[in-house]
């Protein structure tokens, strides 16, 4: 089966067919290209989807992803990201192994087709030229034969006519001979051209055209094989990523199997456990007896006049009052029904202990004293860990600078060692600040865990000194709860032990009495009190002294009934009252 023998006369149809084959190949290339674009678009959408549902860093949402079900969801998102990557691999492999290869092959195919059909047209033109020569020689031979025949007839006519001279007859005879010779020459020429044409025609139909058509057939068959191989590659590219996609799906299944409902339940306990004890039984209040009612150990309310040395709440340590109960501002206040009190226990939420921070804007206290004990312990521990990491980071930086300085000392041409002193001092100062900060939070943590007693006034002032040397921090709720002598106000006296939290913050602090002034002071310099517990003063301003310096470098002053705080002792000139020994000046 050969196109050269079977389709020897179908040159134009073969030309159309081969062009159609190239169009089919280009159409397949376009199909694969659109498939790669779809794969890229799909991969991009999958990545965007995975990114959209990833938890935001440093957000509350990130904290919620500690549960095993949420971790499994994160693993699913990561696996989907890898899954999208495999679709990108499909697109890249199809583009490199199919599109680029076929595009180059199409150009070669077009060139080869053009060359083959050019040879075919050249052979056609040659045979057509031979045919024209044959026709021309044939017509000339025919014309010469007719001319010779007419010349012969004219000679015979002249020779038969007795009136014609002998010379005319001889002339007619010579003319006939010439025409006859020309006819013989045309005949020979025609015969030669005919033989040549027959030879060329035989070569054309049995040699040239079969060879050209055979090349075209082989070219077309290679095209068909090539498009088949491309389709196999198309499937193989998909098949190559199936194992990896299977691993991604296995990872999703594994993540789903790692979900532990019991562990998630325990995490809920750790996240929301307050550390408080449930309320005890409410004592029956007998209104039939005019006598003063007795308060049991488990009662949630008590009058101020009883003055028991220890208040016990459900058998626990003193000073820990149930945070849901409202304080009775007046002993004459009418009692609420027990059903209302019970509903209040069920519906109310624990009130924040740090009222002063809320009055100043509601910022989270630095020592997390607004949280229940268990949650406060976790937050403090987390803060200590973060500070330790920062300290380690600064220490590594200090070591690196020290090594660089040693290199500069050994090789002065590499740099000036003195240029690193400022940076080294800055890093050392940062380390010292972080250590002070860590000690502060460790003290609060130890206090929560019961390892240390409540912070003393000296520790509080040291914290205030550190805060004044660094950037402003949030309100120190723990300081707000402390009294001037360093103890907590909620454990200061027997009366404060039986007080419970009030609904209105302002009413809660109406009972506090300000400390008396022990003298006056004059501001020598302007001080910007930006930290909790400090107060701003202007140079030349006169204020009241309510607590003198106890050796920590801070003096407590008051501007009016509402504004008081600490200022550096070196910033003021203090004048004590007549009970003190004259005036003291701290510069």
């Amino acid at each position: 089966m050969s196109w050269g023998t079977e389709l020897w006369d179908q040159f134009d149809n073969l030309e159309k067919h081969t062009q159609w084959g190239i169009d089919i190949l280009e159409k397949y290339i376009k199909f694969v290209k659109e498939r790669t674009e779809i794969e890229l678009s799909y991969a991009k959408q999958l990545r965007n989807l995975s990114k959209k549902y990833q938890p935001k860093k440093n957000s509350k949402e990130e904290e919620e992803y500690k549960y095993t079900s949420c971790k499994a969801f994160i693993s699913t998102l990561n696996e989907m990201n890898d899954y999208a990557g495999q679709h990108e691999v499909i697109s890249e492999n199809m583009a490199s192994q199919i599109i680029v290869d076929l595009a180059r092959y199409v150009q070669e195919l077009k060139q080869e087709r053009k060359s083959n059909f050019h040879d075919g047209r050249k052979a056609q033109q040659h045979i057509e030229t031979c045919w024209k020569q044959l026709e021309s020689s044939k017509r000339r031979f025919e014309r010469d034969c007719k001319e010779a025949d007419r010349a012969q007839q004219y000679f015979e006519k002249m020779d038969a006519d007795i009136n014609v001279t002998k010379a005319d007859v001889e002339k007619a005879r010579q003319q006939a001979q010439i025409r006859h010779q020309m006819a013989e020459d045309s005949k020979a020429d025609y015969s030669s051209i005919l033989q040549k044409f027959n030879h060329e025609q035989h070569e054309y139909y049995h040699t040239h055209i079969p060879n050209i058509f055979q090349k075209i057939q082989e070219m077309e068959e290679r095209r068909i094989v090539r498009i088949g191989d491309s389709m196999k590659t198309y499937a193989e590219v998909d098949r190559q990523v199936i194992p990896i996609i299977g691993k991604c799906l296995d990872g999703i299944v594994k993540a789903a199997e790692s979900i532990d409902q019991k562990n998630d339940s325990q995490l809920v306990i750790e996240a929301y456990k307050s550390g408080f004890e449930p309320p005890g039984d409410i004592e029956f209040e007998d209104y039939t007896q005019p006598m003063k009612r007795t308060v049991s150990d488990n009662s949630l309310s008590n009058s101020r006049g009883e003055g028991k040395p220890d208040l016990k709440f459900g058998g626990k340590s003193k000073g820990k009052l149930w945070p849901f109960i409202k304080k009775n501002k007046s002993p004459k206040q009418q009692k609420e029904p027990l059903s209302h009190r019970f509903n209040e226990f069920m519906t109310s939420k624990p009130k924040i202990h740090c009222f002063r921070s809320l009055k100043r804007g509601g910022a989270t206290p630095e020592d997390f004293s607004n949280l229940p004990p268990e949650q406060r312990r976790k937050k403090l521990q987390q803060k200590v860990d973060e500070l330790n990491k920062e300290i380690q980071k600064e220490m590594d930086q200090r070591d690196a600078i020290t090594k660089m300085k040693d290199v500069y000392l050994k090789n002065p041409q590499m740099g000036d060692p003195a240029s690193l002193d400022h940076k080294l001092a800055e890093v050392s100062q940062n380390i010292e600040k972080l250590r002070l900060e860590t000690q502060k939070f460790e003290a609060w943590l130890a206090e929560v865990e019961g390892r240390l007693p409540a912070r003393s006034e000296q520790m509080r002032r040291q914290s205030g000194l550190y805060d004044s040397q660094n950037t402003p921090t949030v309100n120190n709720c723990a300081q707000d709860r402390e009294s001037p002598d360093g103890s907590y106000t909620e454990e200061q006296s027997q009366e404060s032990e039986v007080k419970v939290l009030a609904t209105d913050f302002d009413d809660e602090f109406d009972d506090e009495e300000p400390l008396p002034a022990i003298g006056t002071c004059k501001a020598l310099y302007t001080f910007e009190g930006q930290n909790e517990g400090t107060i701003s003063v202007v140079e030349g301003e006169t204020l009241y002294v309510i607590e003198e310096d106890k050796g920590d470098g801070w003096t407590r002053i008051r501007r009016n009934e509402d504004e008081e705080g600490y200022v550096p002792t070196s910033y003021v000139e203090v004048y004590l009252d007549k009970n003190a020994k004259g005036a003291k000046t701290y510069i």
Side-chain angles (χ1 to χ4, degrees), residues 506-551:
D506 294 332
D507 292 343
E508 176 68 19
F509 294 98
D510 288 343
D511 297 334
E512 296 180 0
E513 295 182 0
L515 295 175
I518 60 175
T520 60
C521 68
K522 180 180 180 182
L524 302 177
Y525 313 100
T526 299
F527 174 70
E528 298 290 340
Q530 298 179 349
N531 298 303
E532 176 65 23
T534 62
I535 185 173
S536 301
V537 296
V538 181
E539 181 181 354
E541 185 179 4
T542 301
L543 306 102
Y544 294 101
V545 178
I546 58 176
E547 186 178 311
E548 62 179 324
D549 187 358
K550 293 185 178 182

Side-chain angles (χ1 to χ4, degrees), residues 327 329 355 500-502 504-511:
K327 180 180 73 173
K329 297 297 293 183
F355 299 110
V500 291
L501 302 178
D504 191 341
F505 294 161
D506 294 332
D507 292 343
E508 176 68 19
F509 294 98
D510 288 343
D511 297 334

Side-chain angles (χ1 to χ4, degrees), residues 134-150:
L134 178 62
E135 287 292 321
S136 177
S137 63
K138 180 181 177 181
R139 287 193 298 269
R140 186 171 60 253
F141 172 58
E142 182 182 7
R143 184 179 65 250
D144 289 346
C145 288
K146 290 180 179 180
E147 291 292 336
D149 187 55
R150 284 196 297 268

